[in-house]
Amino acid sequence: MNEVNSVARILHCHAKPGCAPQCQALLQQLLGASSQLPGCVFAGLVPPASPQGPHQLVQRFATASDLARARAAPEWAQWHARLEQVAAVLDCGPLEGLQTWSAPPVPVMVPPKWKLTVVSWLGIFPLVSLSLGVLGPLLQSWPFLARIFVVTVLVVSLMSYVVMPRLVAWMAWWLRRN
């Protein structure tokens, strides 16, 4: 099976009393080690929004298989054991597709809505056009709502699992630019 969707993992680490510097140092080391994990395409460390808030490590892997291989590695368990000595750790993941929309909040720079709207339109317009062009004649005898149901299920599924991950990756240079 050819996997095309990246998956995210978010670690929330609440430092134990008196352990904030050690927690931050370990997370910095883990951040550096992330680049060595096969299939890890992004890793970032988000500092706490408040002194009592969690540090958050965000990792994105090219495929679910890459994340599974990383989790099976002995180093993974060692990092978790070290972190759990200095922090309460919550591992949120794997998150993919629409799940990342409802993931615990991570305060990172989000592109402006107008840019996300443009990128969404770049995916939706051709999908709707192709869907109506190909399926329109086949579904012509169906009731209107049934036709719309089929087309929207197809478009939303393709946008979530195929088109948007690729468009966001291809357009990252523009989405992240001020």
Side-chain angles (χ1 to χ4, degrees), residues 67-81:
L67 175 57
R69 273 192 300 279
R71 281 188 159 170
E75 296 84 10
W76 189 282
Q78 292 168 357
W79 279 111
H80 269 271

Side-chain angles (χ1 to χ4, degrees), residues 15 45 51 56 61 65 92 101 105 114 120 125 149:
L45 186 57
Q56 298 173 85
F61 290 84
S65 296
C92 302
W101 293 359
W114 73 269
S120 297
F125 179 77
F149 175 81

Side-chain angles (χ1 to χ4, degrees), residues 117-135 151 154-155 158-159 163-164 167 170:
T117 301
V118 169
V119 172
S120 297
W121 179 84
L122 287 172
I124 290 172
F125 179 77
L127 283 179
V128 170
S129 300
L130 283 169
S131 298
L132 291 175
V134 172
L135 296 177
V151 169
L154 179 66
V155 168
L158 287 171
M159 282 294 291
V163 176
M164 277 308 280
L167 273 177
W170 291 336

Side-chain angles (χ1 to χ4, degrees), residues 18-169:
C19 295
Q22 297 94 328
C23 178
Q24 187 170 359
L26 276 173
L27 285 169
Q28 286 289 345
Q29 293 170 12
L30 181 53
L31 179 64
S34 293
S35 65
Q36 304 303 313
L37 295 171
C40 186
V41 295
F42 170 81
L45 186 57
V46 181
S50 69
Q52 299 83 0
H55 285 80
Q56 298 173 85
L57 176 72
V58 180
Q59 295 171 308
R60 184 163 292 281
F61 290 84
T63 65
S65 296
D66 291 327
L67 175 57
R69 273 192 300 279
R71 281 188 159 170
E75 296 84 10
W76 189 282
Q78 292 168 357
W79 279 111
H80 269 271
R82 290 175 66 195
L83 274 173
E84 288 174 348
Q85 291 175 358
V86 297
V89 179
L90 173 63
D91 187 345
C92 302
L95 304 169
E96 58 184 319
L98 297 176
Q99 291 175 323
T100 57
W101 293 359
S102 60
V106 178
V108 295
M109 190 191 119
V110 176
K113 283 186 181 183
W114 73 269
K115 285 186 175 186
L116 292 172
T117 301
V118 169
V119 172
S120 297
W121 179 84
L122 287 172
I124 290 172
F125 179 77
L127 283 179
V128 170
S129 300
L130 283 169
S131 298
L132 291 175
V134 172
L135 296 177
L138 299 173
L139 303 178
Q140 197 169 22
S141 62
W142 289 29
F144 175 75
L145 288 178
R147 288 182 289 184
I148 296 300
F149 175 81
V150 169
V151 169
T152 57
V153 165
L154 179 66
V155 168
V156 169
S157 299
L158 287 171
M159 282 294 291
S160 293
Y161 293 101
V162 179
V163 176
M164 277 308 280
R166 288 186 170 129
L167 273 177
V168 168

